[in-house]
Amino acid sequence: MTRRPAAALLLALLSCAAPEVRVPNWTLVAERVWRSPTVPAAYALVDGDGAIVFGAPLGADLTELSYAGITAIEGAYLTHHHRDAAAGATAWAAAGVPARAPRASAPWITPEGVQRYWRAYLPASTPPLQAGVRERTFDAWEYLVLPEGLAAVDCVVEPGREFDWRGWTITPIATPGHTRGHVAYAARRKGAEKARPLVFSGDALAGNGTLWTPYTTDWDPATGDGLAAAAASLKTLAALDPEAVFPEHGEPLLEAPTAALSKAAEGVAEAAFLKSYGRYTKDRVGIPPAVRFLDRTQVGSDGRRPWTRLSDHLHFTGSTYAVSAARGEMWFIDPFGDLLAAQIIRAQTQRIGGDVDLVTITHAHGDHYGGLGSIPGRKGPDVWVMDQVAGVITDPAYRRSPHAHPRPVAVERVLADGERVAWRNYALSFRRLPGHCSHGSAIFTTIDGKRVVFAGDAFLHPDHDGGSGGWSGLNGGLPSDYAASADLILRAKPDWILASRGGPFEFVAEDWERRVAWGRAAAAACDRLSPSTDHRLDWNPGLLRVEPFLLRVSANSSASVDLVATNPLDRPQTLVVDLPGRGLLEDFRRTLVLGPQSTSRLNVPLKILESAVPGKHVFPLRVLAGDVERGDDAFFALDIADDR
C-alpha cells in the first residue's frame, strides 16, 4: 500500500489553497487513515468524501475533517468501554454520527448497565450494623468505567459479524485482555480479500508494543487470566499479518507490525506465566524444594472443620488461628466468617482456651475480619492492627479498597511497621507485608518454642492456588513488593509460615530464595510491558486517590476532599489534577509536587451546586504528568441527599 506522508499532503493543500482555507488538526498517518490529536486517539478511515471513525475520545473534533474534504462521517465504532476511549460518543451522536460498541461492553456503556455497576460497587453511605462475610463492597474488578451511561451508543457489534462500508469489508475481532469485551477492527477493500488488512486495535497494545494501563488485565485478584487473554488476542492480530496497526495509545505500527504484535504477545504471555509462583518454581526452576503442610485438610475450608492442634497453644480452622495464653485467654488471627461463634464455643468446650481477648487482622479483606460480629462476649475483644489496615476497616467509605467489609470496625490499637508489643506471655512484632495487597501485614512471634509468622494471604504453599494470593494493581500489590516481602521472611527464617486461606506450612530457605527471585522476575516482565518502563507507575490504578472516597452531602453546600498522590519513582513528579464537575460541582484544577518515593496530600474544597440532582454521582479525575495524561483510574463519589 502506498502511503502519502502527512507533511506532503499538507504542503499540497497549502500551495493551492486560498488564505482562508484551513487544514485539519488531524494527521494523515497512512493512505486513507487520519489520526486525531487526542490521547487516546481516534482514527478515521476515509473513502471519497466519507469516513468512519474508530474510537470516541473526548476532544476529537470530527468537524476538523471537513478541511480534508471529508463531508460525511458515517459511523463511529468503539473498541471498548473505558471512559477515555468512549466518552466522546455522546457529542458525536448528537451531531448525527451513529455510534456503535461491542455487545459484550453493554454492562459498562448502557445507562442501565452503568447504573447497575455503580450501585453494586459503591459502599453504603451508612454501613449496616450487621453484614455477612460475603456482603463486601469494592468487589468489581473492572476499570475506567464511565460515570454515566451513553444512551446514544448502540451495543450491537459482534466479533466475526462483518459489515460493508463504501467498498470496504470491516471485521470486528474479539481481542479480550485490556477489557473482557474488547474488539479490534480489520478493514479490507472489497475484492482484495487476500490483501493485508488495516487493523484498528484499540488498546489491545500500545504503539511501542507495551500495554496501556496494564492493570486492566487484572480480571481478578490472583490469576493471570486477563494477561493470558491479552497474549492470545495479540497472537490473533499477528495471524492477520496486517499492513498496519493503529492503536489508540501510541504511534501507529507501520513497519513490521506482525513482528511487533508477536513480540508483544510473547512478553504478555511471560507476565501471565509469572502470575503464579507455583508455575515458576515447578516449570521454570524445576524440582521444587520439599515443603510440608502442617495440616492439609484445612486448606481451602470455610471454617466448618474442627480445630487442628498445631502445638499446645496454637490451633487452626478455615482461615482463622487461635492462640491461647498461659491463663487461657484467646487471641484470634483473621476471624473468618459467620461460623466463628460456633467454633469459639467448640474451642471453649474442648478447653482450647477461654474468652477471646485479642483479635488481629493481617489485611483489610472482608473474609479476614467478617467474623468479628459473631464473637460472643459483652465487651468483645480488643482489635490490634497495623496502620494501613486500620485506614480501611475503620471507615469503609473513606478509602477505596477491594473486598473491604461494609461494616466499620472499632480498633483499640494501631501499630506501625516494626513495632513490638506484648500480649499476655507473647512478644509480637508487626511488619508490613505488601504483595497480595498494599495493606498486607505480618505478625512474628514464638509459640511453644516455634518461631512463626502469621502471613495472611500473601504467601501460600506452592501447591495451593499458585503459591500466593496473587499480585494485582487494584489491590495495590505488585511483584516488586512480593520480592521485598519474601526477602523479609527469608531473613527472619521462621520455623512455620501460618498462612490464612492457604493453611500452615514449614519454612524452607530454598523455597523463599525462589520466591524472591520469582518476584524480581515478575517485576522485570511487568516493567517491559509498561509504557513508562516501570510497573510501579503503570500497574497501579490508585497512585492518586481521593479521601473520603464517598461523601454524603446536600445540594448548595460545601465539603472538601483530600487528593492523596504517591510517587513510587526515584525522581520527583509534578501532577496536574482536573475535575469536570458536570454541572453538579464546580470544576477544579490543582497541582501537586511530589518528591522521590513520597506521598503528598492536598485538601481541596468542593462546592456542590444548587442544581445538583439527588443520588449517588461518580466524578472521575484527569491526571496529567507534565502535558501527558496518565492512566490513573482516579475518582470519588458524592451521595447527594434529597433535602427538598
Side-chain angles (χ1 to χ4, degrees):
M1 179 178 290
T2 303
R3 303 186 189 93
R4 190 176 185 185
L9 175 69
L10 296 180
L11 182 61
L13 287 171
L14 289 170
S15 64
C16 62
E20 66 274 17
V21 173
R22 290 179 52 186
V23 295
N25 62 4
W26 292 51
T27 302
L28 186 67
V29 292
E31 186 178 6
R32 300 181 185 274
V33 179
W34 292 78
R35 183 178 189 269
S36 73
T38 55
V39 179
Y43 291 91
L45 175 64
V46 176
D47 195 283
D49 63 352
I52 57 174
V53 181
F54 300 97
L58 286 172
D61 186 354
L62 297 182
T63 64
E64 288 284 330
L65 290 170
S66 65
Y67 300 113
I70 301 164
T71 60
I73 308 296
E74 297 174 345
Y77 293 86
L78 279 61
T79 57
H80 61 297
H81 71 265
H82 287 168
R83 55 182 178 262
D84 63 341
T90 296
W92 294 2
V97 178
R100 302 177 180 94
R103 189 180 300 277
S105 296
W108 307 284
I109 287 181
T110 63
E112 58 273 18
V114 171
Q115 185 179 48
R116 189 181 307 115
Y117 172 85
W118 288 118
R119 186 165 55 242
Y121 185 94
L122 293 172
S125 304
T126 304
L129 295 177
Q130 298 294 329
V133 68
R134 298 299 175 191
E135 296 178 49
R136 306 177 195 168
T137 57
F138 313 126
D139 209 6
W141 287 73
E142 201 49 71
Y143 309 88
L144 298 165
V145 176
L146 292 152
E148 298 174 317
L150 305 177
V153 175
D154 292 327
C155 295
V156 295
V157 174
E158 295 276 9
R161 183 173 293 177
E162 298 176 344
F163 60 92
D164 294 332
W165 174 77
R166 289 200 177 204
W168 292 78
T169 297
I170 312 297
T171 306
I173 302 166
T175 47
H178 185 68
T179 70
R180 291 172 175 83
H182 193 284
V183 301
Y185 297 89
R188 287 186 173 90
R189 293 285 293 180
K190 296 192 74 171
E193 284 75 11
K194 293 184 179 180
R196 299 165 68 193
L198 304 176
V199 171
F200 300 91
S201 58
D203 279 334
L205 82 166
N208 56 359
T210 62
L211 296 180
W212 181 253
T213 59
Y215 62 79
T216 62
T217 61
D218 293 331
W219 288 4
D220 59 54
T223 73
D225 293 350
L227 280 166
S233 294
L234 291 169
K235 291 178 182 178
T236 297
L237 296 181
L240 298 175
D241 190 23
E243 171 72 15
V245 175
F246 303 100
E248 292 178 1
H249 284 90
E251 295 300 315
L253 300 174
L254 304 177
E255 303 295 334
T258 299
L261 289 165
S262 298
K263 182 179 179 180
E266 292 174 2
V268 177
E270 171 71 355
F273 174 85
L274 289 169
K275 273 277 192 172
S276 167
Y277 169 68
R279 280 195 300 264
Y280 172 84
T281 189
K282 295 172 187 176
D283 301 340
R284 179 65 55 83
V285 182
I287 314 178
V291 180
R292 186 176 70 90
F293 276 110
L294 301 183
D295 180 13
R296 196 181 194 113
T297 65
Q298 293 280 8
V299 174
S301 69
D302 62 358
R304 296 178 186 274
R305 295 187 57 81
W307 291 96
T308 292
R309 180 176 178 273
L310 301 176
S311 67
D312 288 345
H313 297 89
L314 176 62
H315 294 75
F316 178 61
T317 184
S319 292
T320 302
Y321 289 90
V323 178
S324 56
R327 296 185 178 182
E329 303 93 340
M330 282 196 294
W331 161 32
F332 274 24
I333 300 90
D334 289 345
F336 176 91
D338 301 326
L339 300 172
L340 194 59
Q343 289 289 26
I344 291 171
I345 294 171
R346 178 181 287 178
Q348 292 167 341
T349 302
Q350 296 174 355
R351 299 187 182 279
I352 292 172
D355 291 338
V356 182
D357 186 57
L358 175 67
V359 166
T360 57
I361 301 163
T362 58
H363 59 293
H365 288 168
D367 55 339
H368 287 261
Y369 60 99
L372 269 174
S374 63
I375 294 179
R378 180 175 300 173
K379 173 181 175 294
D382 281 356
V383 176
W384 296 359
V385 295
M386 285 196 65
D387 46 12
Q388 73 270 18
V389 178
V392 175
I393 68 175
T394 55
D395 184 355
Y398 186 74
R399 182 172 178 178
R400 176 189 179 197
S401 182
H403 300 314
H405 198 282
R407 184 178 58 242
V409 173
V411 173
E412 280 72 32
R413 189 163 187 174
V414 177
L415 299 131
D417 184 31
E419 191 166 351
R420 299 173 183 271
V421 295
W423 174 75
R424 305 302 173 184
N425 52 299
Y426 296 97
L428 316 179
S429 176
F430 287 74
R431 296 300 308 269
R432 290 194 69 244
L433 200 72
H436 174 56
C437 56
S438 61
H439 44 70
S441 65
I443 306 167
F444 292 84
T445 190
T446 299
I447 303 172
D448 298 326
K450 295 290 186 180
R451 293 174 293 109
V452 303
V453 55
F454 296 99
D457 285 345
F459 296 107
L460 312 180
H461 190 285
D463 288 337
H464 180 64
D465 279 1
S468 78
W471 47 266
S472 53
L474 186 56
N475 258 327
L478 299 174
S480 51
D481 295 325
Y482 259 123
S485 293
D487 187 59
L488 173 69
I489 291 178
L490 175 63
R491 288 184 283 108
K493 293 182 170 54
D495 297 306
W496 290 349
I497 309 298
L498 304 181
S500 296
R501 178 166 53 85
F505 57 97
E506 292 179 340
F507 170 85
V508 174
E510 184 187 351
D511 176 42
W512 290 86
E513 290 167 355
R514 292 189 180 196
R515 290 178 189 266
V516 174
W518 160 68
R520 292 172 178 168
C526 291
D527 284 343
R528 289 191 289 271
L529 296 182
S530 300
S532 73
T533 72
D534 194 324
H535 76 287
R536 297 174 301 168
L537 189 67
D538 296 315
W539 219 291
N540 190 339
L543 287 177
L544 183 119
R545 64 181 189 269
V546 182
E547 297 176 351
F549 173 67
L550 174 65
L551 297 85
R552 186 167 177 81
V553 297
S554 299
N556 195 26
S557 66
S558 298
S560 69
V561 294
D562 285 348
L563 302 181
V564 185
T566 298
N567 178 16
L569 306 179
D570 297 326
R571 60 182 185 273
Q573 280 192 304
T574 299
L575 303 181
V576 176
V577 181
D578 282 335
L579 170 74
R582 305 205 319 277
L584 301 167
L585 290 175
E586 287 186 351
D587 299 350
F588 71 68
R589 166 172 279 212
R590 292 292 186 276
T591 299
L592 295 90
V593 179
L594 305 174
Q597 295 188 353
S598 67
T599 296
S600 176
R601 181 180 293 267
L602 177 67
N603 186 260
V604 177
L606 301 178
K607 173 58 180 175
I608 297 89
L609 302 179
E610 186 175 3
S611 58
V613 178
K616 285 183 179 176
H617 301 276
V618 176
F619 297 91
L621 300 171
R622 185 168 177 256
V623 184
L624 299 97
D627 58 355
V628 178
E629 184 168 359
R630 298 198 321 183
D632 299 65
D633 191 10
F635 58 90
F636 67 100
L638 295 182
D639 187 355
I640 301 175
D642 189 357
D643 296 333
R644 302 170 197 178

